[in-house]
Amino acid sequence: MRESTTCSCEVIHDEIVETVTKKALSAEQYVDLATLFKMFGDPSRVRLLHALSVHEMCVCDLAAYLGITKSAVSHQLKSLRLCNLVKYRKEGQVVFYSLADDHVETLLAIGIEHIEE
Amino acid sequence: MRESTTCSCEVIHDEIVETVTKKALSAEQYVDLATLFKMFGDPSRVRLLHALSVHEMCVCDLAAYLGITKSAVSHQLKSLRLCNLVKYRKEGQVVFYSLADDHVETLLAIGIEHIEE
DNA sequence: CAAATGGTTGAGCATTTGTTCAACTATTTT
DNA sequence: AAAATAGTTGAACAAATGCTCAACCATTTG
């Protein structure tokens, strides 16, 4: 009958939907989760994160390594900072970036495991 | 001097870049990694995956639960299938989807840990 | 076999995203 | 204090993304 009065369709298995709804996180948490994983969802950014898992690096080196401008790297690093994925220390003009915590390496490791199945 | 003859800049710390380069994965692997994590990088898709971590679900229920059309869900599920993140079983007209392996739950768990710091 | 229902597919569209460019700040060097 | 260099920022733009719509396939039911 009606397909998308609001935007979806009828529930077939009420109990299942109810069970799942009970275990659901908040809308905000899903947004935060998505924002976090999005940081790993771009080839040059995941490459950047993987590089930092090997050694701290400055913006110039990262730009050369990744083959993009310092500007692009700086923009990426800003997003990564906002997600608490990287931290930095300043030494003169040079800013060294490194991973903020173990989660990054763990996520990378599991991701690598998955794609190599 | 020149800023972006090709597109980047000069290397400052050759040794670091060399060390990182040695440990680097292949370009294809970074693309695959990004593609994998991208699946978790959208609020409704990560919500979908989290729902499936609670219970297998059919497309209709998922659509109702997520508040999007069956079509949208089906499109998402196709991407998730291509990444080996979900599997399905058919029962009459109804297709039940569930998580393909433990990696999904593990990644979700670590992600949740991270955002709750 | 016709109608109904669950699911898939492709086109189209609005939004988001990753990059570059240009202009700027900050720190060092001369 | 001027020049050079590392990094940041905002605007602009092309490419990618997630959704809906409409049409279709597949399976069940009358």
Side-chain angles (χ1 to χ4, degrees):
Chain A
M1 206 71 65
R2 61 205 167 79
E3 155 71 21
S4 47
T5 310
T6 57
C7 69
S8 86
C9 72
E10 307 300 321
V11 171
I12 303 179
H13 312 88
D14 302 273
E15 294 161 37
I16 294 178
V17 174
E18 205 177 320
T19 304
V20 168
T21 303
K22 275 179 191 155
K23 298 256 190 179
L25 307 178
S26 71
E28 196 197 350
Q29 281 175 306
Y30 286 118
V31 170
D32 290 349
L33 265 184
T35 304
L36 164 66
F37 284 115
K38 207 172 286 179
M39 292 299 109
F40 296 77
D42 171 75
S44 56
R45 205 158 45 217
V46 77
R47 203 170 149 220
L48 187 160
L49 288 168
H50 186 248
L52 293 187
S53 80
V54 176
H55 204 287
E56 67 169 7
M57 287 178 86
C58 73
V59 177
C60 261
D61 290 347
L62 280 169
Y65 174 68
L66 298 172
I68 57 180
T69 60
K70 286 185 297 182
S71 172
V73 172
S74 187
H75 280 298
Q76 304 282 27
L77 288 168
K78 186 176 188 177
S79 307
L80 293 169
R81 258 186 283 126
L82 290 174
C83 289
N84 298 310
L85 292 174
V86 300
K87 59 181 195 281
Y88 64 94
R89 67 184 181 85
K90 228 172 158 180
E91 196 171 284
Q93 307 166 281
V94 182
V95 182
F96 288 97
Y97 279 86
S98 56
L99 298 185
D101 61 45
D102 292 345
H103 291 144
V104 181
E105 288 173 272
T106 313
L107 287 172
L108 283 176
I110 300 169
I112 292 169
E113 230 179 64
H114 185 87
I115 63 168
E116 282 177 348
E117 264 168 5
Chain B
M1 206 73 62
R2 60 207 169 78
E3 155 71 21
S4 48
T5 310
T6 58
C7 69
S8 85
C9 72
E10 307 300 322
V11 171
I12 303 179
H13 311 89
D14 303 271
E15 294 160 39
I16 294 179
V17 174
E18 205 176 322
T19 304
V20 168
T21 303
K22 274 178 191 158
K23 298 256 190 179
L25 308 178
S26 71
E28 195 197 349
Q29 281 175 305
Y30 286 118
V31 170
D32 291 348
L33 265 184
T35 304
L36 165 65
F37 284 116
K38 207 173 286 180
M39 293 298 109
F40 295 77
D42 171 76
S44 55
R45 206 158 45 216
V46 77
R47 204 171 148 219
L48 188 160
L49 288 167
H50 187 248
L52 294 186
S53 80
V54 176
H55 202 288
E56 66 169 8
M57 287 177 88
C58 73
V59 177
C60 260
D61 290 348
L62 280 168
Y65 174 69
L66 298 171
I68 57 180
T69 61
K70 286 184 298 181
S71 172
V73 172
S74 187
H75 280 297
Q76 304 283 27
L77 288 168
K78 185 176 189 178
S79 307
L80 293 169
R81 259 186 282 126
L82 291 175
C83 288
N84 298 310
L85 292 174
V86 301
K87 59 180 195 281
Y88 64 94
R89 69 184 179 84
K90 226 172 159 181
E91 196 172 282
Q93 305 167 281
V94 182
V95 182
F96 288 97
Y97 279 87
S98 57
L99 298 185
D101 62 43
D102 292 346
H103 290 144
V104 181
E105 288 175 271
T106 312
L107 287 172
L108 283 176
I110 299 168
I112 292 169
E113 230 180 63
H114 185 87
I115 64 169
E116 283 178 348
E117 262 168 9

